[in-house]
Amino acid sequence: MGKLVLIDGNSIAYRAFFALPLLTNSSGIYTNAVYGFTMMLLKVLEEEKPTHMLVAFDAGKTTFRHQDYQEYKGTRQKTPGELAEQIPLVREMLDAFGIRHYAIENYEADDIIGTLARAGSGKDLEVLIVSGDKDLLQLVNEQVNVLLTRKGVTETERYDRKAVADRYGLTPQQIIDLKGLMGDASDNIPGIPGVGEKTALKLLKQFPTVEEIVDHVSELPGKKLREKVETYRDQALLSKKLATIYTEVPLDLQLEDLLLAELDVNRIADFFRKVEFKTLLDRLKKFSGADEEETKTVCEEQDAIESVTVFGEEARDEWEPFLKQSGLALFVEMTGENPHHSDVIGLALSDGEKQLYIPIEEAMDWQAFREYLADGERHKVVYDVKKTSLALKRKELDVAGLSFDVLLAAYLLDPSESQMELNEIVKRAEAGYLPSDEEVYGKGAKRRQLQGEELEKHLARKARAIYQVYPVLDRQLQEAGLDALMFDLEMPLAAVLANMERHGVLVNRERLDELGVELKRSMDLLQEEIYELAGVPFNINSPKQLGEILFDKLGLPVIKKTKTGYSTSADVLEKLAPQHEIVEKILHYRQVGKLYSTYIEGLKKEIGSDGKIHTQFNQTVTATGRLSSTEPNLQNIPIRMEEGRRIRQIFIPSEPGWYMLSADYSQIELRVLAHISGDANLQKAFKEGKDIHTQTAMDVFGVAEDEVTSLMRRQAKAVNFGILYGISGYGLAQGLDIPQKEAREFIERYFETYPGVKKYMDSIIAQAKQEGYVTTLSGRRRYLPKIHSRNFGERSFAERTAMNTPIQGTAADIIKIAMVRLDRQIRERGLKGRMLLQVHDELILEVPESELPAMQELVRDVMEHALELSVPLVVDVNCGKNWYEAK
DNA sequence: CGCGTCACG
DNA sequence: ACGTACGTGACGCGT
């Protein structure tokens, strides 16, 4: 029996376009949709082994559906130009594969697919439909399955009758009824207003079709619902009709026309070369009969390393000219992930043709190499500059001229993909092929250290990949206007961070132990009391067991549920506190338990033999441009509650008589908002040095300063936070624990007071839709493909992100600029004090007593003038004998 | 290894 | 009707 695969061309191209970053090839042509489409196609060919195939496209703007309903797809946004221009290329690609594509006036791709699916199953073919559109599910039957894209283009979900039933509780035919009732915003199909998926499914459980539902209106539950169904009866029937795929399109092709011929690998390879899909050339192998000379050479060229030399003493003279070059790629291999606790194994260098592997002992013993490393004039390209320099400094090798980090470049080009592996970067840049670390090293327990030739070859391969990917990324950075951010900010910052990490923060071990004993005692006591009140001992840390005790045994009311059972989160427990004295004890136990396990035991494990903690500041993780901190995370040390705040007492200066100095920006994000929104009122408040939350309370509640109650200020503060996060009535209601209606009124009044902010929020969303990304003041980008999503939740999330990212990201830019400048100033002035930590809007330094006045002034000056905004930046500086006291 | 929870800005 | 506040990382539990 044969297999017919039918692809919804527009849908897949659209998915591919938004799933992949908007990358161009060297002639400036956008190719992301073609690339994604091709990936999907290769996957289907590989996994499904079809005998027949067709890709259906929509033809013109109007279809037979417009006769019934003129507004059909009336709200649909215009296809972005960057996508539209790729459609002819998609057709060209299909031609290269010898795959038929088809469009016909007056009908949509769906109808072509429907017609052929019926024809195919009539001819005893197994049929598989590939689309991103759930509507196609209506075509499912015993012979017809649907493959829906889930995330991106290559992650898919297969639907047969059972899968449709599991997901919707409906038969495939009823998908039409579902849409008839709930409508479809993206196609502008109205359905019944006020009926969503939930209500529609409920109705369809009662009666199987729209027709029967409207015929039995009187038997439906709820007066409102009956009225709605009654009023919109015809609209529902029309909607169903619109949603129904027409399966009798007059097609001028036969099933035989869709028969797949053997792939013409050369023709495909020509196309791939034309559009510069270098990595896809590799995958072609699987389809070719190995004797295809051309592709074979291309592929082998790409993954085989012929020339790797392992450095030995005898070769020293021979390799010295190699080291004279500037622009070599350098990769350093360590025994583990954490550069503070791992050892260096060896290094690999590449000039794109020759690769040299040097075991670390040899490297340290080779003078010419030491000179090469230390020479800032000879540039080195690396993957992860911070880790590389930490590794080399650990071996007391001087290093200079690490001038391009492909990891940082990849991050700036698309910060949504956190900590990209080298093979990912190479794949995206279409600059060759590299296996993933997981493939090479194995994962979990199977992870192993490579040895001998395997190690040498792999590192050589990595070094060469770095060399090859560098020019691509360098050009992409320039094209995106991200080069200044790269070379003037992130690269210099990496060096600053490396020094902070390497120096570490000294811990007062004695104080840590004291606090530990105290917390443990408190925990044991609370545990006893909780067991007593519960009448039975249980694991308080298990949400499952705790839920059973609170809600089953003690019968407390269930306020919120999670996927897996009762919610026992703090906000739920706070509401239950008045009902039973056990609740307060549990809250306290949780708090103390957290402090003990994360901050006492957790930090203890991280103290090194030098008595210090060396965190890692990750520069390529967050989507907004902030840093993150791991192993341990020193950016979330408690401060809000006094009990936890004392943890800060354990962090002390590393030299006797020195002080901890903390400098934090006051309201930096709201000031950034005032600047970028240009709102006159908000700017005025900051220029006059007002307490911003009090000012907001005065404006929003229309009262004088002395009439602002603490409740009003608290609520105004929550509104200000909400604004920064991309406000919604629901979110603010949650934050303040008030009805949504009230929250919406607050927001409305806020926007009346600060109309510039409202204007900014609207325009930034429009901009995100237009450009596909948003930027910070320094031009840092974040792509938001989901801003076009037809899924409300996804789209709303993208919109909030569009509002928040420029604010959070600009604040991140500002403190990063300050750090680079402060570091330079400290060195130029020959000061001994040094930066230790950064906590998003705060810098922590350790400083000798004699430098305190100068350093306070310097830090404040540098931080306040990192970027000149239309409102002043204000920095508070404090110092003390430990971090706790520097408040 | 995913989930719930909670620490921070 | 939809279903979230934005950005992170670490811990303990239980599959």
Side-chain angles (χ1 to χ4, degrees):
Chain A
M1 193 168 84
K3 187 179 209 171
L4 167 63
V5 168
L6 298 166
I7 295 177
D8 184 347
N10 295 78
S11 165
I12 296 298
Y14 191 83
R15 286 281 172 151
F17 179 73
F18 288 112
L20 298 171
L22 195 58
L23 294 173
T24 55
N25 67 11
S26 62
S27 19
I29 297 170
Y30 293 108
T31 53
N32 61 334
V34 190
Y35 185 80
F37 204 122
T38 313
M39 296 269 285
M40 188 282 301
L41 199 63
L42 287 170
K43 189 179 153 182
V44 168
L45 287 170
E46 247 176 288
E47 291 176 6
E48 305 294 339
K49 312 228 183 304
T51 54
H52 299 65
M53 209 159 178
L54 175 118
V55 178
F57 287 100
D58 296 336
K61 270 198 202 122
T62 58
T63 68
F64 71 92
R65 289 186 178 82
H66 289 86
Q67 291 163 11
D68 288 324
Y69 183 58
Q70 290 207 341
E71 289 78 31
Y72 181 65
K73 294 202 171 176
T75 50
R76 181 70 59 100
Q77 288 227 341
K78 208 171 94 218
T79 311
E82 295 89 341
L83 171 56
E85 68 184 47
Q86 293 186 57
I87 298 297
L89 268 185
V90 171
R91 292 210 176 86
E92 209 180 311
M93 180 272 291
L94 294 170
D95 289 336
F97 275 85
I99 293 170
R100 284 293 297 251
H101 45 90
Y102 193 80
I104 180 168
E105 279 302 311
N106 221 19
Y107 297 96
E108 295 180 59
D110 289 6
D111 303 312
I112 301 170
I113 290 174
T115 304
L116 285 168
R118 293 284 173 263
S121 46
K123 287 268 173 67
D124 209 29
L125 285 171
E126 191 186 331
V127 178
L128 181 70
I129 295 165
V130 186
S131 176
D133 187 350
K134 295 182 178 61
D135 288 1
L136 274 300
L137 292 177
Q138 64 186 269
L139 296 171
V140 167
N141 64 30
E142 294 313 324
Q143 271 170 282
V144 179
N145 286 357
V146 171
L147 207 58
L148 283 187
T149 56
R150 206 169 43 180
K151 199 178 115 199
V153 255
T154 50
E155 251 184 71
T156 53
E157 203 164 6
R158 200 186 188 95
Y159 282 88
D160 55 13
R161 288 187 79 93
K162 185 174 172 305
V164 174
D166 288 348
R167 168 67 180 79
Y168 294 98
L170 299 177
T171 65
Q173 292 75 32
Q174 284 179 301
I175 294 288
I176 322 171
D177 297 283
L178 178 65
K179 208 161 151 183
L181 293 172
M182 63 183 275
D184 182 339
S186 71
D187 289 347
N188 201 26
I189 294 181
I192 298 177
V195 172
E197 183 171 314
K198 280 208 176 129
T199 313
L201 289 175
K202 201 173 70 191
L203 288 173
L204 286 171
K205 225 172 220 169
Q206 203 176 348
F207 299 104
T209 65
V210 174
E211 287 77 7
E212 287 186 57
I213 288 168
V214 298
D215 282 350
H216 297 81
V217 176
S218 56
E219 295 164 49
L220 302 177
K223 181 157 169 272
K224 270 254 170 70
L225 185 58
R226 281 195 296 274
E227 276 172 21
K228 279 188 230 164
V229 175
E230 187 70 56
T231 319
Y232 294 102
R233 179 175 193 282
D234 293 340
Q235 194 168 307
L237 291 167
L238 172 65
S239 297
K240 175 171 176 177
K241 194 174 164 199
L242 290 171
T244 306
I245 291 175
Y246 185 67
T247 56
E248 282 159 44
V249 180
L251 297 175
D252 50 3
L253 40 80
Q254 304 296 316
L255 279 176
E256 297 80 73
D257 300 334
L258 310 184
L259 211 56
L260 267 183
E262 180 137 354
L263 295 186
D264 181 347
V265 178
N266 286 325
R267 190 172 169 198
I268 300 171
D270 282 341
F271 177 80
F272 283 178
R273 261 188 293 272
K274 177 183 153 189
V275 290
E276 300 173 11
F277 289 172
K278 302 204 186 81
T279 44
L280 287 184
L281 279 166
D282 186 35
R283 287 190 58 183
L284 264 185
K285 264 196 293 194
K286 295 188 176 115
F287 299 96
S288 62
D291 52 337
E292 304 286 346
E293 202 49 50
E294 206 172 357
T295 51
K296 201 170 144 194
T297 31
V298 173
C299 300
E300 283 187 352
E301 236 169 51
Q302 286 197 350
D303 43 13
I305 286 267
E306 299 98 38
S307 96
V308 49
T309 303
V310 178
F311 180 81
E313 209 165 329
E314 64 286 354
R316 285 189 181 182
D317 295 344
E318 196 184 314
W319 281 92
E320 279 192 19
F322 181 77
L323 292 185
K324 294 283 179 231
Q325 302 177 85
S326 182
L328 296 181
L330 166 69
F331 187 83
V332 181
E333 177 81 345
M334 300 189 85
T335 52
E337 296 285 313
N338 188 324
H340 301 292
H341 307 134
S342 309
D343 283 313
V344 181
I345 296 173
L347 314 90
L349 288 166
S350 170
D351 65 358
E353 286 176 6
K354 286 188 286 185
Q355 280 66 232
L356 176 63
Y357 174 75
I358 317 173
I360 184 62
E361 300 79 23
E362 298 283 348
M364 291 171 66
D365 193 40
W366 184 17
Q367 194 49 35
F369 179 73
R370 298 185 75 114
E371 280 165 20
Y372 162 76
L373 271 189
D375 182 3
E377 296 299 309
R378 280 176 272 181
H379 296 265
K380 293 109 189 153
V381 185
V382 296
Y383 169 87
D384 197 339
V385 62
K386 180 161 62 68
K387 193 185 271 188
T388 303
S389 65
L390 285 169
L392 296 171
K393 284 191 186 150
R394 210 179 145 76
K395 287 288 162 193
E396 289 171 351
L397 288 163
D398 282 333
V399 56
L402 302 183
S403 51
F404 194 93
D405 180 349
V406 297
L407 173 61
L408 275 174
Y411 172 69
L412 286 173
L413 288 167
D414 186 357
S416 307
E417 301 288 319
S418 70
Q419 192 80 5
M420 251 199 278
E421 258 190 54
L422 181 56
N423 76 308
E424 279 294 319
I425 296 174
V426 169
K427 194 196 286 179
R428 278 184 172 233
E430 293 175 355
Y433 165 80
L434 193 72
S436 70
D437 277 348
E438 195 178 301
E439 281 169 59
V440 180
Y441 295 88
K443 70 167 174 180
K446 282 193 212 134
R447 201 176 173 87
R448 69 206 171 95
Q449 203 40 253
L450 300 186
Q451 281 180 349
E453 197 179 330
E454 202 184 1
L455 173 73
E456 292 143 19
K457 286 240 158 122
H458 182 57
L459 297 186
R461 188 160 55 175
K462 276 196 170 177
R464 191 181 58 181
I466 292 167
Y467 185 89
Q468 287 170 338
V469 85
Y470 155 65
V472 181
L473 297 179
D474 191 33
R475 184 174 51 79
Q476 288 177 351
L477 283 178
Q478 289 193 14
E479 282 168 4
L482 290 164
D483 41 338
L485 211 46
M486 172 77 174
F487 299 109
D488 302 338
L489 189 60
E490 299 293 355
M491 288 296 303
L493 180 68
V496 177
L497 293 174
N499 287 330
M500 290 163 62
E501 288 182 20
R502 200 157 70 98
H503 189 275
V505 192
L506 187 65
V507 171
N508 181 343
R509 184 64 200 245
E510 228 175 292
R511 185 69 189 126
L512 180 59
D513 290 334
E514 268 171 33
L515 286 169
V517 170
E518 199 182 303
L519 289 169
K520 187 82 182 51
R521 203 179 293 141
S522 165
M523 233 165 53
D524 290 344
L525 199 66
L526 283 163
Q527 179 182 317
E528 272 312 306
E529 290 173 346
I530 290 166
Y531 290 170
E532 184 71 29
L533 287 165
V536 54
F538 64 102
N539 187 342
I540 310 167
N541 284 324
S542 160
K544 189 162 162 261
Q545 295 184 33
L546 178 60
E548 281 160 15
I549 296 284
L550 291 180
F551 304 111
D552 295 338
K553 186 152 191 294
L554 299 177
L556 292 172
V558 178
I559 292 182
K560 200 164 76 178
K561 286 193 146 199
T562 66
K563 280 178 215 164
T564 48
Y566 308 119
S567 169
T568 64
S569 62
D571 60 320
V572 169
L573 295 190
E574 268 156 32
K575 288 180 188 145
L576 294 174
Q579 307 221 23
H580 200 294
E581 56 175 324
I582 195 174
V583 179
E584 202 184 334
K585 305 251 181 232
I586 290 166
L587 278 165
H588 195 191
Y589 177 88
R590 278 237 181 105
Q591 198 194 338
V592 178
K594 177 89 179 177
L595 291 176
Y596 189 77
S597 67
T598 304
Y599 298 103
I600 301 294
E601 293 299 324
L603 287 179
K604 225 180 254 184
K605 282 186 221 139
E606 302 287 346
I607 302 174
S609 49
D610 54 0
K612 293 178 181 175
I613 289 181
H614 301 267
T615 185
Q616 298 185 70
F617 286 108
N618 208 308
Q619 215 176 337
T620 56
V621 159
T622 71
T624 54
R626 275 190 179 180
L627 301 177
S628 84
S629 156
T630 50
E631 286 184 85
N633 181 353
L634 291 187
Q635 290 183 321
N636 71 346
I637 303 300
I639 189 166
R640 293 174 189 169
M641 306 292 269
E642 179 55 29
E643 199 169 7
R645 188 173 193 154
R646 293 181 305 157
I647 300 283
R648 295 183 171 225
Q649 293 166 343
I650 72 169
F651 297 98
I652 55 175
S654 63
E655 305 196 36
W658 286 33
Y659 283 79
M660 300 295 270
L661 185 151
S662 146
D664 66 296
Y665 283 108
S666 156
Q667 305 296 351
I668 187 168
E669 293 193 348
L670 285 172
R671 288 171 198 268
V672 167
L673 174 64
H675 175 84
I676 55 185
S677 70
D679 184 274
N681 267 338
L682 199 54
Q683 292 193 353
K684 185 160 166 269
F686 282 120
K687 283 177 185 162
E688 292 173 2
K690 292 279 171 49
D691 173 317
I692 191 61
H693 301 316
T694 304
Q695 184 64 45
T696 303
M698 289 161 62
D699 293 338
V700 168
F701 298 111
V703 295
E705 187 166 355
D706 55 5
E707 292 169 330
V708 175
T709 62
S710 65
L711 174 68
M712 285 155 88
R713 188 176 181 282
R714 193 176 70 83
Q715 293 188 325
K717 189 172 170 180
V719 173
N720 278 329
F721 271 111
I723 294 292
L724 295 176
Y725 295 156
I727 201 148
S728 74
Y730 180 92
L732 182 63
Q734 284 286 303
L736 277 175
D737 202 14
I738 55 169
Q740 238 190 93
K741 187 168 173 300
E742 230 171 280
R744 278 198 294 269
E745 282 167 17
F746 282 176
I747 296 166
E748 211 171 293
R749 269 181 281 165
Y750 180 95
F751 283 140
E752 281 166 21
T753 324
Y754 305 110
V757 175
K758 170 77 176 143
K759 238 170 109 186
Y760 160 74
M761 296 296 175
D762 292 340
S763 69
I764 195 75
I765 290 172
Q767 193 187 325
K769 286 192 171 140
Q770 178 89 32
E771 310 283 344
Y773 59 85
V774 291
T775 58
T776 67
L777 266 194
S778 330
R780 187 188 301 279
R781 281 188 189 190
R782 178 174 183 181
Y783 291 92
L784 298 169
K786 297 221 166 120
I787 200 98
H788 298 288
S789 174
R790 290 156 308 287
N791 175 314
F792 175 89
E794 284 182 356
R795 189 176 61 248
S796 310
F797 183 55
E799 288 172 358
R800 292 197 298 274
T801 313
M803 299 187 251
N804 173 262
T805 296
I807 302 169
Q808 193 183 119
T810 299
D813 293 343
I814 290 173
I815 194 165
K816 282 177 166 180
I817 294 168
M819 290 172 77
V820 170
R821 293 209 189 134
L822 180 59
D823 177 74
R824 196 167 299 154
Q825 287 293 319
I826 286 174
R827 277 184 288 119
E828 280 176 17
R829 296 175 187 219
L831 293 166
K832 292 200 186 70
R834 58 177 78 90
M835 270 182 271
L836 297 176
L837 300 171
Q838 187 251 45
V839 193
H840 310 308
D841 63 355
E842 173 186 19
L843 292 178
I844 293 100
L845 294 85
E846 58 178 20
V847 181
E849 187 168 6
S850 61
E851 286 180 6
L852 274 177
M855 191 67 96
Q856 292 202 22
E857 198 183 328
L858 176 65
V859 172
R860 170 175 285 128
D861 185 57
V862 170
M863 288 176 74
E864 288 186 345
H865 300 105
L867 269 187
E868 293 304 325
L869 304 184
S870 49
V871 294
L873 286 174
V874 173
V875 172
D876 296 319
V877 186
N878 294 288
C879 53
K881 291 305 292 182
N882 56 50
W883 192 3
Y884 176 92
E885 284 176 11
K887 60 180 174 187

